[in-house]
Structures are given as C-alpha cells and as structure tokens.
Amino acid sequence: SNEISSTAAAGGAWTMMDDDGMKNNKSSQIVVVLDGQQEFETNSRTDEKNIQDGVNTPAVFMKVAGKIPVYFQEDWAAGIGGGLWSTGRAMASYFSDHSDTLRKQLLQQQKQKGIGLNNQNAKLSALELGSGNGFLSVCLLAALQASSLQENDRSNNNTTILSELAVTDIGKDHLELMRKTLHANKHIVSASNKTDDEKCEVSVVEHKWGEFLDDDTSGVTSGADNKGESSSSLEMRVQRGTGTFDFIFGSDLAYRDHLHAPLITSLQKFSHANTISLIGVTMNDTTPAFFTSLWEAGFGYERLGDHWMEPQYRGTNFGFICIQKRPK
C-alpha cells in the first residue's frame, strides 16, 4: 500500500495516498499583505515573460510540477535563513512532485473543517514557521495551483483551498527577502477568479517562536494565554497567538536544542485538534530530545516514508515529520 498515516491521533491524521490523475485549470485570487499593507493584487499569467519586470528579477530556480516557474535568489547576507538548505530543497521537491497528493489531502482537511463548522465551503488557513526567504510558501502555492481535482471532487465547486497563508520569521533582512521572493512570483500570487470568496490573503509576519504580544500590544509574553479577543488582522492573530491554523509547515526548524521549547510553544498556540504540521528535519542536528519534548507537550508524530522524497534524499538523515495533537 502507498498509504502512510502520520500519527495515531483520531481524525485529521495526515494520510498520503497515490493520485489517480486529476485535472482542474482554475486558479484563485491571492492578495498579498506585507506588514499590514496590501502590496499588490495581480492577474498575471503563469508564464516567464510576465514577471521579467526589472534587472533584479531572480532567475527561475525550479518549475513546480514541471509547469510553474518559481523565481528565487538566495541571499546569505540576510542571515541563516537567507539561503536554501538541503531539507528545504527536499520539501520543495515534495510539494512539486506530489502536488496532486498534497491538494487531495488538504481537500480532506477542508471537508473535515466544513463538517465541524457546518459549512461545505470552509477554507483552510496555513502558516510557515521560520521561512527565512519565502521560497517554501511560494512552492506550496504553486503546487496547489498546479494540482488538479478528481472528477468526483469537482462537485463541491470549491477550487480555492486556502483562505490565508502567514509567512513568518524574524529579522528585518529575512522579512525583506521574504517580500522580495513573493513579489518576484506574482504570477503565482495571482488571480484568474476575482470573486471575494476565492481570495487567499498572504501575509509576511514577524514572529519569534514562543513569544506573543500582550493584549495591549505593549509587550510580549512567553507562551502565556491571551485573554483578549482575536484581532481580525492575520498579522495580529499571529503576533498575539490568538489564531489557529489548519496546516503548518517549515524546514530546518529544530536544529538547536535551545529552539525546541519555543518552537513547540508556537506549535501549541497555533494548532487545534486537527491541525497537521509538516516539518523537514535533518537527523544530524535535530536530536531525540525534540521528539521527546513533542510527546510530552501532547503531540504525536511520525516520519513519512522515504519514497515520498526524491531519490537523492532517500536513505539519508533527511526526513519529513508529520505532527498532530494527540486526542485527550
């Protein structure tokens, strides 16, 4: 069987299944909000000439699903997150090579959420932790754009899976690089559907793991519960820790032991019972202590089979870990 369940948690466990070949050419409108300011709202086609708008435009780094070019330029001067580490490359390839599977699983998440909210058109929210450069978020959006729907999934007439995506990290230089990457990929962050219910808001947000703004925004708390009402702003919901997300992802996050506690605090804040987190790790620098701490914090986890990775990453220390809260 090609089916792999991420955890033993009931309901919403990430399950990877082979696709049967699906087709859907619609794409959704994506509005980019950079630090609270709407930066652009485009209808660019997914062709290369469309974004050759200046001498500083990054080169094509990869084509997601062999279809959609992703423009990206590493900038190590921005800091450790300015470059693309091997695990990030592996996860980008996973999004690209298994875009139909990714969409299919998120559709299952969407259906579960709709049942819980009694709303068949419920959309999902996504969060990237420790983005550094915005590359993985762009690849996720491209993969969902490139993927298709099986004939029996078209009946829900619901082509837009995500309603919002928060792309997070810390540091002025990292945040600027994340904006640059999003802006260079306006053909992905774009729209062919202009109706309000098809929009997906993408926001670059500063978030330091384990730290959240007080209700009065005058300071931060370390993992303390916020008692005020959630802001309507995606940025403020992230910074206050008052919003949860359906899909959380990131790579090379737990590479130092001192990062484990704050990272897990953020996962606790941003996860509801059915949230799926998918993180890429290198076992050389992600110690067993991280997984012990995850379990003690109430999470279950499971490593995906190597066959989901490109051949050069199989049988190595790279791995994709699915994380979900264990049922109480």
Side-chain angles (χ1 to χ4, degrees):
S1 170
N2 288 315
E3 182 170 320
I4 301 174
S5 178
S6 65
T7 70
W14 188 269
T15 303
M16 301 298 180
M17 294 176 287
D18 282 344
D19 274 310
D20 298 320
M22 304 178 285
K23 184 169 287 187
N24 182 350
N25 294 322
K26 289 187 177 181
S27 62
S28 59
Q29 183 172 27
I30 300 176
V31 180
V32 172
V33 180
L34 306 179
D35 292 346
Q37 300 297 317
Q38 183 168 319
E39 183 73 7
F40 54 81
E41 184 172 328
T42 71
N43 292 299
S44 300
R45 298 186 306 276
T46 56
D47 54 49
E48 297 179 15
K49 66 180 181 179
N50 226 17
I51 68 167
Q52 298 298 330
D53 55 359
V55 295
N56 294 322
T57 300
V60 175
F61 192 88
M62 67 181 292
K63 286 193 175 182
V64 170
K67 304 174 185 177
I68 302 179
V70 171
Y71 293 77
F72 176 65
Q73 178 63 55
E74 294 179 303
D75 183 1
W76 288 99
I80 193 171
L84 186 59
W85 296 85
S86 296
T87 310
R89 291 174 184 263
M91 183 169 284
S93 295
Y94 166 73
F95 287 162
S96 176
D97 296 343
H98 303 287
S99 58
D100 283 344
T101 299
L102 177 67
R103 184 181 184 106
K104 190 172 184 178
Q105 177 57 46
L106 289 178
L107 279 171
Q108 292 299 315
Q109 289 284 99
Q110 188 179 43
K111 289 177 181 178
Q112 279 196 331
K113 185 175 183 177
I115 292 172
L117 296 176
N118 195 26
N119 176 10
Q120 292 184 353
N121 295 318
K123 304 295 192 297
L124 301 181
S125 56
L127 169 74
E128 182 182 3
L129 292 174
S131 175
N133 50 52
F135 177 72
L136 270 183
S137 282
V138 169
C139 289
L140 173 68
L141 293 173
L144 293 178
Q145 221 177 80
S147 61
S148 54
L149 292 172
Q150 287 185 1
E151 194 67 37
N152 61 4
D153 283 328
R154 292 182 184 175
S155 60
N156 64 15
N157 196 29
N158 193 1
T159 61
T160 305
I161 296 177
L162 297 181
S163 63
E164 56 187 16
L165 169 61
V167 191
T168 70
D169 210 327
I170 59 173
K172 178 181 178 181
D173 291 339
H174 283 143
L175 297 175
E176 184 58 36
L177 180 57
M178 290 150 61
R179 297 185 193 101
K180 179 180 178 181
T181 302
L182 287 172
H183 194 272
N185 290 280
K186 289 187 289 185
H187 61 300
I188 295 171
V189 186
S190 66
S192 61
N193 267 323
K194 294 186 177 181
T195 58
D196 287 341
D197 62 355
E198 294 289 338
K199 289 183 179 179
C200 173
E201 177 185 347
V202 182
S203 292
V204 171
V205 183
E206 185 168 22
H207 171 61
K208 185 175 183 179
W209 302 337
E211 295 188 1
F212 304 94
L213 290 174
D214 290 328
D215 293 336
D216 61 4
T217 71
S218 62
V220 297
T221 60
S222 297
D225 289 332
N226 294 296
K227 297 180 181 179
E229 293 184 357
S230 172
S231 168
S232 60
S233 162
L234 175 58
E235 178 181 10
M236 289 308 299
R237 282 187 282 124
V238 171
Q239 293 183 342
R240 291 180 176 179
T242 54
T244 58
F245 295 84
D246 303 299
F247 181 52
I248 300 173
F249 63 101
S251 69
D252 294 295
L253 304 181
Y255 58 91
R256 294 288 184 269
D257 285 0
H258 72 271
L259 298 174
H260 297 174
L263 172 59
I264 291 172
T265 295
S266 287
L267 287 174
Q268 287 175 314
K269 276 284 190 179
F270 294 134
S271 297
H272 53 68
N274 291 324
T275 296
I276 296 297
S277 295
L278 182 68
I279 66 170
V281 302
T282 304
M283 294 303 181
N284 284 344
D285 53 35
T286 303
T287 64
F290 174 64
F291 301 100
T292 299
S293 296
L294 270 178
W295 187 264
E296 291 174 348
F299 289 99
Y301 59 87
E302 186 171 320
R303 180 177 178 175
L304 295 188
D306 276 3
H307 68 282
W308 292 105
M309 295 191 290
E310 286 192 320
Q312 65 264 35
Y313 301 114
R314 298 173 188 171
T316 68
N317 287 319
F318 298 113
F320 300 148
I321 309 297
C322 286
I323 301 169
Q324 188 177 21
K325 285 185 173 179
R326 303 197 311 273
K328 295 181 179 179

